[in-house]
Short mmCIF file of all heavy atoms in Angstrom, two decimals:
data_model
loop_
_atom_site.label_atom_id
_atom_site.label_comp_id
_atom_site.label_asym_id
_atom_site.label_seq_id
_atom_site.Cartn_x
_atom_site.Cartn_y
_atom_site.Cartn_z
N MET A 278 108.11 100.66 107.64
CA MET A 278 108.17 100.42 106.18
C MET A 278 107.47 101.56 105.46
O MET A 278 106.40 101.99 105.88
CB MET A 278 107.56 99.03 105.94
CG MET A 278 106.43 98.97 104.93
SD MET A 278 105.85 97.28 104.75
CE MET A 278 104.72 97.51 103.40
N PRO A 279 108.09 102.10 104.44
CA PRO A 279 107.49 103.24 103.71
C PRO A 279 106.17 102.84 103.08
O PRO A 279 106.02 101.73 102.58
CB PRO A 279 108.54 103.58 102.65
CG PRO A 279 109.38 102.36 102.51
CD PRO A 279 109.34 101.65 103.83
N ASP A 280 105.25 103.78 103.12
CA ASP A 280 103.90 103.46 102.66
C ASP A 280 103.78 103.65 101.15
O ASP A 280 103.23 104.62 100.66
CB ASP A 280 102.90 104.33 103.40
CG ASP A 280 101.62 103.56 103.67
OD1 ASP A 280 101.38 102.57 102.95
OD2 ASP A 280 100.89 103.93 104.59
N ASP A 281 104.30 102.69 100.43
CA ASP A 281 104.30 102.77 98.97
C ASP A 281 102.88 102.74 98.43
O ASP A 281 102.55 103.44 97.48
CB ASP A 281 105.11 101.60 98.42
CG ASP A 281 105.14 101.61 96.90
OD1 ASP A 281 105.53 102.64 96.34
OD2 ASP A 281 104.77 100.60 96.30
N LEU A 282 102.02 101.94 99.04
CA LEU A 282 100.65 101.84 98.57
C LEU A 282 99.94 103.19 98.68
O LEU A 282 99.22 103.60 97.77
CB LEU A 282 99.91 100.77 99.39
CG LEU A 282 98.46 100.51 98.98
CD1 LEU A 282 98.37 100.05 97.53
CD2 LEU A 282 97.85 99.45 99.88
N TYR A 283 100.18 103.87 99.80
CA TYR A 283 99.58 105.20 99.97
C TYR A 283 100.07 106.17 98.91
O TYR A 283 99.28 106.94 98.35
CB TYR A 283 99.91 105.72 101.38
CG TYR A 283 99.34 107.09 101.63
CD1 TYR A 283 97.98 107.25 101.87
CD2 TYR A 283 100.15 108.22 101.63
CE1 TYR A 283 97.44 108.51 102.09
CE2 TYR A 283 99.63 109.48 101.85
CZ TYR A 283 98.28 109.61 102.08
OH TYR A 283 97.76 110.86 102.29
N GLN A 284 101.37 106.13 98.62
CA GLN A 284 101.94 107.02 97.59
C GLN A 284 101.29 106.74 96.24
O GLN A 284 100.95 107.67 95.50
CB GLN A 284 103.45 106.80 97.48
CG GLN A 284 104.23 107.09 98.75
CD GLN A 284 104.18 108.54 99.16
OE1 GLN A 284 104.02 109.41 98.32
NE2 GLN A 284 104.30 108.80 100.45
N ARG A 285 101.13 105.47 95.91
CA ARG A 285 100.55 105.12 94.61
C ARG A 285 99.07 105.50 94.57
O ARG A 285 98.56 105.90 93.53
CB ARG A 285 100.73 103.61 94.35
CG ARG A 285 102.17 103.29 94.00
CD ARG A 285 102.30 101.87 93.51
NE ARG A 285 102.01 100.92 94.59
CZ ARG A 285 101.33 99.78 94.41
NH1 ARG A 285 100.89 99.44 93.22
NH2 ARG A 285 101.10 98.98 95.42
N TYR A 286 98.40 105.36 95.69
CA TYR A 286 96.99 105.73 95.77
C TYR A 286 96.82 107.24 95.58
O TYR A 286 95.95 107.70 94.82
CB TYR A 286 96.45 105.22 97.11
CG TYR A 286 95.34 105.98 97.78
CD1 TYR A 286 94.16 106.28 97.09
CD2 TYR A 286 95.44 106.36 99.12
CE1 TYR A 286 93.14 106.96 97.72
CE2 TYR A 286 94.43 107.02 99.75
CZ TYR A 286 93.28 107.34 99.06
OH TYR A 286 92.28 108.01 99.69
N GLN A 287 97.69 108.01 96.22
CA GLN A 287 97.65 109.47 96.04
C GLN A 287 98.01 109.87 94.61
O GLN A 287 97.40 110.76 94.03
CB GLN A 287 98.62 110.14 97.02
CG GLN A 287 98.15 110.09 98.46
CD GLN A 287 96.84 110.84 98.64
OE1 GLN A 287 96.76 112.03 98.39
NE2 GLN A 287 95.81 110.15 99.09
N ALA A 288 99.00 109.20 94.03
CA ALA A 288 99.41 109.51 92.66
C ALA A 288 98.28 109.19 91.69
O ALA A 288 98.02 109.96 90.75
CB ALA A 288 100.67 108.71 92.30
N ALA A 289 97.58 108.10 91.92
CA ALA A 289 96.46 107.73 91.05
C ALA A 289 95.34 108.74 91.18
O ALA A 289 94.69 109.10 90.19
CB ALA A 289 95.97 106.33 91.42
N HIS A 290 95.12 109.21 92.39
CA HIS A 290 94.10 110.24 92.62
C HIS A 290 94.44 111.51 91.86
O HIS A 290 93.59 112.09 91.17
CB HIS A 290 93.99 110.52 94.12
CG HIS A 290 93.01 111.60 94.45
ND1 HIS A 290 91.66 111.45 94.26
CD2 HIS A 290 93.18 112.85 94.91
CE1 HIS A 290 91.05 112.58 94.61
NE2 HIS A 290 91.96 113.44 95.02
N ARG A 291 95.70 111.93 91.97
CA ARG A 291 96.13 113.14 91.27
C ARG A 291 96.03 112.97 89.76
O ARG A 291 95.60 113.88 89.05
CB ARG A 291 97.57 113.50 91.67
CG ARG A 291 97.65 114.27 92.98
CD ARG A 291 99.02 114.91 93.14
NE ARG A 291 100.08 113.91 93.12
CZ ARG A 291 100.52 113.27 94.19
NH1 ARG A 291 100.02 113.55 95.37
NH2 ARG A 291 101.48 112.37 94.11
N ALA A 292 96.42 111.80 89.27
CA ALA A 292 96.37 111.55 87.82
C ALA A 292 94.94 111.63 87.32
O ALA A 292 94.66 112.20 86.27
CB ALA A 292 96.98 110.18 87.51
N HIS A 293 94.02 111.07 88.11
CA HIS A 293 92.61 111.10 87.71
C HIS A 293 92.07 112.51 87.73
O HIS A 293 91.38 112.94 86.80
CB HIS A 293 91.80 110.18 88.64
CG HIS A 293 90.35 110.12 88.28
ND1 HIS A 293 89.36 110.42 89.18
CD2 HIS A 293 89.73 109.80 87.12
CE1 HIS A 293 88.19 110.30 88.56
NE2 HIS A 293 88.37 109.91 87.33
N GLN A 294 92.38 113.26 88.80
CA GLN A 294 91.92 114.64 88.90
C GLN A 294 92.48 115.48 87.75
O GLN A 294 91.78 116.30 87.16
CB GLN A 294 92.36 115.25 90.24
CG GLN A 294 91.67 114.63 91.44
CD GLN A 294 90.17 114.82 91.41
OE1 GLN A 294 89.69 115.93 91.23
NE2 GLN A 294 89.42 113.74 91.54
N ALA A 295 93.77 115.28 87.44
CA ALA A 295 94.40 116.04 86.36
C ALA A 295 93.75 115.71 85.03
O ALA A 295 93.55 116.59 84.19
CB ALA A 295 95.89 115.72 86.32
N HIS A 296 93.40 114.45 84.84
CA HIS A 296 92.75 114.07 83.59
C HIS A 296 91.39 114.75 83.47
O HIS A 296 91.05 115.32 82.45
CB HIS A 296 92.60 112.55 83.51
CG HIS A 296 91.87 112.11 82.28
ND1 HIS A 296 92.50 111.86 81.09
CD2 HIS A 296 90.55 111.93 82.05
CE1 HIS A 296 91.59 111.54 80.18
NE2 HIS A 296 90.40 111.56 80.73
N ILE A 297 90.60 114.68 84.54
CA ILE A 297 89.27 115.29 84.52
C ILE A 297 89.37 116.77 84.23
O ILE A 297 88.57 117.33 83.47
CB ILE A 297 88.58 115.06 85.89
CG1 ILE A 297 88.11 113.61 85.99
CG2 ILE A 297 87.40 116.00 86.07
CD1 ILE A 297 87.47 113.27 87.32
N ALA A 298 90.37 117.43 84.81
CA ALA A 298 90.52 118.87 84.64
C ALA A 298 90.85 119.24 83.20
O ALA A 298 90.52 120.34 82.74
CB ALA A 298 91.61 119.38 85.57
N SER A 299 91.50 118.35 82.48
CA SER A 299 91.96 118.68 81.13
C SER A 299 91.18 117.95 80.05
O SER A 299 91.43 118.18 78.87
CB SER A 299 93.45 118.38 81.00
OG SER A 299 93.66 116.99 81.15
N CYS A 300 90.24 117.08 80.43
CA CYS A 300 89.51 116.31 79.42
C CYS A 300 88.06 116.76 79.37
O CYS A 300 87.33 116.59 80.35
CB CYS A 300 89.60 114.81 79.73
SG CYS A 300 88.65 113.80 78.60
N PRO A 301 87.62 117.35 78.27
CA PRO A 301 86.24 117.84 78.18
C PRO A 301 85.22 116.73 78.31
O PRO A 301 84.12 116.94 78.83
CB PRO A 301 86.17 118.49 76.79
CG PRO A 301 87.46 118.23 76.13
CD PRO A 301 88.41 117.59 77.08
N ARG A 302 85.57 115.54 77.87
CA ARG A 302 84.61 114.44 77.92
C ARG A 302 84.42 113.91 79.34
O ARG A 302 83.45 113.22 79.63
CB ARG A 302 85.07 113.30 77.02
CG ARG A 302 84.86 113.61 75.54
CD ARG A 302 85.36 112.48 74.69
NE ARG A 302 84.59 111.26 74.91
CZ ARG A 302 84.95 110.06 74.47
NH1 ARG A 302 86.06 109.92 73.80
NH2 ARG A 302 84.21 109.01 74.70
N CYS A 303 85.38 114.19 80.21
CA CYS A 303 85.29 113.66 81.58
C CYS A 303 84.89 114.74 82.57
O CYS A 303 84.82 114.47 83.77
CB CYS A 303 86.64 113.07 81.99
SG CYS A 303 86.99 111.50 81.19
N SER A 304 84.63 115.96 82.11
CA SER A 304 84.37 117.04 83.06
C SER A 304 83.01 116.87 83.73
O SER A 304 82.84 117.24 84.89
CB SER A 304 84.44 118.39 82.37
OG SER A 304 83.55 118.42 81.27
N ASP A 305 82.03 116.31 83.04
CA ASP A 305 80.70 116.14 83.64
C ASP A 305 80.53 114.76 84.26
O ASP A 305 80.14 114.62 85.39
CB ASP A 305 79.62 116.37 82.59
CG ASP A 305 79.48 117.83 82.23
OD1 ASP A 305 79.79 118.66 83.11
OD2 ASP A 305 79.11 118.14 81.10
N ASN A 306 80.82 113.74 83.50
CA ASN A 306 80.74 112.38 84.04
C ASN A 306 81.88 111.56 83.43
O ASN A 306 82.45 111.95 82.43
CB ASN A 306 79.38 111.75 83.72
CG ASN A 306 79.00 112.01 82.27
OD1 ASN A 306 79.72 111.63 81.37
ND2 ASN A 306 77.88 112.68 82.06
N PRO A 307 82.20 110.44 84.07
CA PRO A 307 83.31 109.64 83.55
C PRO A 307 83.02 109.21 82.13
O PRO A 307 82.20 108.34 81.89
CB PRO A 307 83.36 108.44 84.48
CG PRO A 307 82.54 108.77 85.66
CD PRO A 307 81.57 109.85 85.22
N GLY A 308 83.66 109.85 81.17
CA GLY A 308 83.29 109.64 79.79
C GLY A 308 84.24 108.78 78.98
O GLY A 308 83.84 107.75 78.46
N CYS A 309 85.50 109.20 78.88
CA CYS A 309 86.37 108.52 77.94
C CYS A 309 87.05 107.31 78.59
O CYS A 309 87.17 107.24 79.81
CB CYS A 309 87.40 109.51 77.39
SG CYS A 309 88.75 109.87 78.50
N PRO A 310 87.48 106.35 77.79
CA PRO A 310 88.11 105.14 78.32
C PRO A 310 89.33 105.43 79.18
O PRO A 310 89.53 104.76 80.20
CB PRO A 310 88.51 104.36 77.06
CG PRO A 310 87.60 104.87 75.99
CD PRO A 310 87.33 106.31 76.32
N ALA A 311 90.13 106.42 78.79
CA ALA A 311 91.32 106.74 79.58
C ALA A 311 90.92 107.21 80.97
O ALA A 311 91.52 106.81 81.97
CB ALA A 311 92.13 107.81 78.87
N GLY A 312 89.88 108.05 81.04
CA GLY A 312 89.42 108.53 82.33
C GLY A 312 88.86 107.40 83.18
O GLY A 312 89.10 107.36 84.39
N GLN A 313 88.14 106.49 82.56
CA GLN A 313 87.59 105.36 83.30
C GLN A 313 88.69 104.47 83.84
O GLN A 313 88.62 103.97 84.96
CB GLN A 313 86.63 104.56 82.41
CG GLN A 313 85.28 105.25 82.29
CD GLN A 313 84.36 104.51 81.32
OE1 GLN A 313 84.71 103.47 80.78
NE2 GLN A 313 83.20 105.07 81.10
N ARG A 314 89.73 104.28 83.00
CA ARG A 314 90.84 103.43 83.43
C ARG A 314 91.56 104.08 84.61
O ARG A 314 91.92 103.41 85.58
CB ARG A 314 91.81 103.20 82.28
CG ARG A 314 92.55 101.89 82.37
CD ARG A 314 93.02 101.39 81.01
NE ARG A 314 93.50 102.45 80.16
CZ ARG A 314 93.02 102.69 78.94
NH1 ARG A 314 92.07 101.94 78.45
NH2 ARG A 314 93.49 103.67 78.21
N LEU A 315 91.77 105.39 84.54
CA LEU A 315 92.42 106.10 85.64
C LEU A 315 91.58 105.99 86.90
O LEU A 315 92.10 105.79 88.01
CB LEU A 315 92.62 107.57 85.27
CG LEU A 315 93.77 107.87 84.31
CD1 LEU A 315 93.70 109.30 83.84
CD2 LEU A 315 95.09 107.58 84.98
N TYR A 316 90.25 106.10 86.73
CA TYR A 316 89.39 106.02 87.91
C TYR A 316 89.43 104.62 88.51
O TYR A 316 89.46 104.47 89.73
CB TYR A 316 87.95 106.39 87.54
CG TYR A 316 87.06 106.30 88.75
CD1 TYR A 316 87.11 107.30 89.73
CD2 TYR A 316 86.23 105.21 88.95
CE1 TYR A 316 86.34 107.21 90.86
CE2 TYR A 316 85.45 105.11 90.09
CZ TYR A 316 85.50 106.12 91.04
OH TYR A 316 84.74 106.01 92.17
N GLU A 317 89.42 103.60 87.65
CA GLU A 317 89.46 102.23 88.16
C GLU A 317 90.75 101.96 88.92
O GLU A 317 90.74 101.31 89.96
CB GLU A 317 89.32 101.24 87.01
CG GLU A 317 87.86 101.02 86.64
CD GLU A 317 87.73 100.37 85.27
OE1 GLU A 317 88.69 99.71 84.83
OE2 GLU A 317 86.66 100.54 84.66
N THR A 318 91.86 102.46 88.38
CA THR A 318 93.14 102.30 89.07
C THR A 318 93.09 102.98 90.43
O THR A 318 93.48 102.39 91.45
CB THR A 318 94.28 102.91 88.23
OG1 THR A 318 94.30 102.26 86.96
CG2 THR A 318 95.62 102.70 88.91
N PHE A 319 92.59 104.20 90.45
CA PHE A 319 92.47 104.94 91.70
C PHE A 319 91.57 104.20 92.68
O PHE A 319 91.91 104.03 93.86
CB PHE A 319 91.93 106.34 91.42
CG PHE A 319 91.32 107.00 92.62
CD1 PHE A 319 92.09 107.32 93.71
CD2 PHE A 319 89.96 107.28 92.65
CE1 PHE A 319 91.53 107.93 94.83
CE2 PHE A 319 89.38 107.87 93.76
CZ PHE A 319 90.17 108.19 94.85
N ALA A 320 90.41 103.73 92.21
CA ALA A 320 89.46 103.05 93.09
C ALA A 320 90.06 101.77 93.66
O ALA A 320 89.88 101.46 94.84
CB ALA A 320 88.17 102.74 92.33
N ARG A 321 90.81 101.05 92.82
CA ARG A 321 91.40 99.80 93.28
C ARG A 321 92.46 100.06 94.34
O ARG A 321 92.53 99.38 95.36
CB ARG A 321 92.01 99.05 92.08
CG ARG A 321 92.26 97.58 92.35
CD ARG A 321 92.52 96.82 91.06
NE ARG A 321 93.49 97.49 90.21
CZ ARG A 321 93.24 97.90 88.98
NH1 ARG A 321 92.07 97.72 88.45
NH2 ARG A 321 94.17 98.50 88.27
N LEU A 322 93.30 101.08 94.10
CA LEU A 322 94.35 101.40 95.07
C LEU A 322 93.75 101.92 96.36
O LEU A 322 94.21 101.60 97.46
CB LEU A 322 95.31 102.44 94.47
CG LEU A 322 96.28 101.89 93.43
CD1 LEU A 322 96.98 103.02 92.70
CD2 LEU A 322 97.29 100.97 94.07
N GLN A 323 92.70 102.74 96.23
CA GLN A 323 92.05 103.27 97.43
C GLN A 323 91.46 102.13 98.25
O GLN A 323 91.59 102.09 99.47
CB GLN A 323 90.95 104.25 97.03
CG GLN A 323 90.29 104.89 98.22
CD GLN A 323 89.11 105.77 97.82
OE1 GLN A 323 88.25 105.36 97.06
NE2 GLN A 323 89.07 106.98 98.31
N ASP A 324 90.83 101.20 97.55
CA ASP A 324 90.24 100.05 98.22
C ASP A 324 91.30 99.25 98.96
O ASP A 324 91.12 98.88 100.12
CB ASP A 324 89.56 99.19 97.15
CG ASP A 324 88.40 98.42 97.74
OD1 ASP A 324 87.59 99.04 98.45
OD2 ASP A 324 88.33 97.21 97.50
N ALA A 325 92.41 98.99 98.27
CA ALA A 325 93.49 98.22 98.88
C ALA A 325 94.06 98.95 100.08
O ALA A 325 94.34 98.35 101.12
CB ALA A 325 94.57 97.95 97.84
N TYR A 326 94.21 100.26 99.94
CA TYR A 326 94.78 101.05 101.03
C TYR A 326 93.85 101.04 102.25
O TYR A 326 94.28 100.81 103.38
CB TYR A 326 95.03 102.48 100.56
CG TYR A 326 95.55 103.37 101.64
CD1 TYR A 326 96.84 103.19 102.13
CD2 TYR A 326 94.76 104.38 102.18
CE1 TYR A 326 97.32 104.00 103.15
CE2 TYR A 326 95.24 105.19 103.19
CZ TYR A 326 96.51 105.00 103.66
OH TYR A 326 96.97 105.80 104.66
N LEU A 327 92.55 101.28 102.01
CA LEU A 327 91.60 101.32 103.12
C LEU A 327 91.45 99.96 103.76
O LEU A 327 91.33 99.83 104.98
CB LEU A 327 90.24 101.83 102.62
CG LEU A 327 90.23 103.29 102.16
CD1 LEU A 327 88.84 103.68 101.66
CD2 LEU A 327 90.66 104.22 103.28
N THR A 328 91.50 98.92 102.95
CA THR A 328 91.42 97.55 103.48
C THR A 328 92.60 97.28 104.40
O THR A 328 92.45 96.72 105.48
CB THR A 328 91.42 96.53 102.32
OG1 THR A 328 90.28 96.77 101.52
CG2 THR A 328 91.36 95.11 102.85
N ARG A 329 93.78 97.73 103.98
CA ARG A 329 94.96 97.50 104.80
C ARG A 329 94.90 98.30 106.09
O ARG A 329 95.29 97.80 107.15
CB ARG A 329 96.22 97.88 104.01
CG ARG A 329 97.42 97.08 104.45
CD ARG A 329 98.63 97.43 103.65
NE ARG A 329 99.00 98.82 103.85
CZ ARG A 329 100.06 99.39 103.27
NH1 ARG A 329 100.79 98.69 102.44
NH2 ARG A 329 100.34 100.65 103.50
N LEU A 330 94.38 99.53 106.02
CA LEU A 330 94.21 100.32 107.24
C LEU A 330 93.31 99.60 108.22
O LEU A 330 93.59 99.51 109.41
CB LEU A 330 93.56 101.67 106.90
CG LEU A 330 94.46 102.82 106.47
CD1 LEU A 330 93.63 104.09 106.45
CD2 LEU A 330 95.64 102.98 107.40
N LYS A 331 92.21 99.04 107.72
CA LYS A 331 91.25 98.34 108.56
C LYS A 331 91.89 97.12 109.20
O LYS A 331 91.70 96.84 110.38
CB LYS A 331 90.05 97.91 107.72
CG LYS A 331 88.75 98.59 108.14
CD LYS A 331 87.60 98.20 107.24
CE LYS A 331 87.41 99.18 106.09
NZ LYS A 331 86.51 98.68 105.05
N GLN A 332 92.67 96.41 108.40
CA GLN A 332 93.32 95.20 108.93
C GLN A 332 94.30 95.56 110.03
O GLN A 332 94.40 94.86 111.03
CB GLN A 332 94.06 94.47 107.80
CG GLN A 332 93.11 93.72 106.90
CD GLN A 332 93.79 93.23 105.63
OE1 GLN A 332 94.90 93.63 105.32
NE2 GLN A 332 93.12 92.36 104.90
N ARG A 333 95.00 96.69 109.85
CA ARG A 333 95.95 97.10 110.87
C ARG A 333 95.22 97.44 112.18
O ARG A 333 95.69 97.14 113.25
CB ARG A 333 96.67 98.36 110.41
CG ARG A 333 97.97 98.03 109.71
CD ARG A 333 98.76 99.30 109.51
NE ARG A 333 99.78 99.12 108.48
CZ ARG A 333 100.30 100.13 107.79
NH1 ARG A 333 99.87 101.35 108.00
NH2 ARG A 333 101.22 99.92 106.89
N ARG A 334 94.06 98.09 112.03
CA ARG A 334 93.32 98.52 113.23
C ARG A 334 92.77 97.35 114.00
O ARG A 334 92.78 97.35 115.22
CB ARG A 334 92.19 99.47 112.81
CG ARG A 334 92.56 100.91 113.06
CD ARG A 334 91.40 101.82 112.81
NE ARG A 334 91.86 103.00 112.07
CZ ARG A 334 91.27 103.46 110.99
NH1 ARG A 334 90.19 102.88 110.51
NH2 ARG A 334 91.73 104.51 110.39
N THR A 335 92.23 96.37 113.29
CA THR A 335 91.55 95.27 113.97
C THR A 335 92.55 94.29 114.56
O THR A 335 92.19 93.50 115.41
CB THR A 335 90.61 94.52 113.01
OG1 THR A 335 91.34 94.18 111.83
CG2 THR A 335 89.43 95.38 112.62
N ARG A 336 93.82 94.34 114.11
CA ARG A 336 94.78 93.40 114.64
C ARG A 336 95.18 93.72 116.07
O ARG A 336 95.59 94.77 116.40
CB ARG A 336 96.02 93.37 113.76
CG ARG A 336 96.49 91.95 113.50
CD ARG A 336 97.81 91.96 112.80
NE ARG A 336 98.93 92.18 113.74
CZ ARG A 336 99.43 91.23 114.54
NH1 ARG A 336 98.91 90.06 114.53
NH2 ARG A 336 100.44 91.49 115.36
ZN1 ZN B 490 88.73 111.77 79.66
#
């Protein structure tokens, strides 16, 4: 089965990195609401992805 979750996790990571690179308020620390939302999305997807990896391994 294609790893859609991994693709979305990578896309969220790229979106967050791209935002940080172009947003002066987010260059030092997570500053603006848009950047925080992107980070939360990335963190949630990363968490879900890593959780699934762990579940696969322990099975
Ligand atoms: Zn920002």
Side-chain angles (χ1 to χ4, degrees):
M278 126 179 187
D280 216 338
D281 180 55
L282 182 60
Y283 179 75
Q284 300 295 333
R285 286 190 294 141
Y286 150 53
Q287 288 298 300
H290 178 68
R291 277 195 301 272
H293 181 236
Q294 293 298 309
H296 177 88
I297 285 178
S299 64
C300 176
R302 285 179 65 193
C303 287
S304 55
D305 287 332
N306 45 58
C309 78
Q313 282 176 3
R314 209 156 38 236
L315 283 170
Y316 180 76
E317 277 164 23
T318 302
F319 159 65
R321 198 166 48 240
L322 284 169
Q323 183 185 49
D324 208 48
Y326 177 69
L327 293 179
T328 299
R329 208 178 63 179
L330 274 191
K331 244 177 267 168
Q332 284 169 347
R333 267 191 198 156
R334 259 187 223 131
T335 50
R336 224 188 81 78

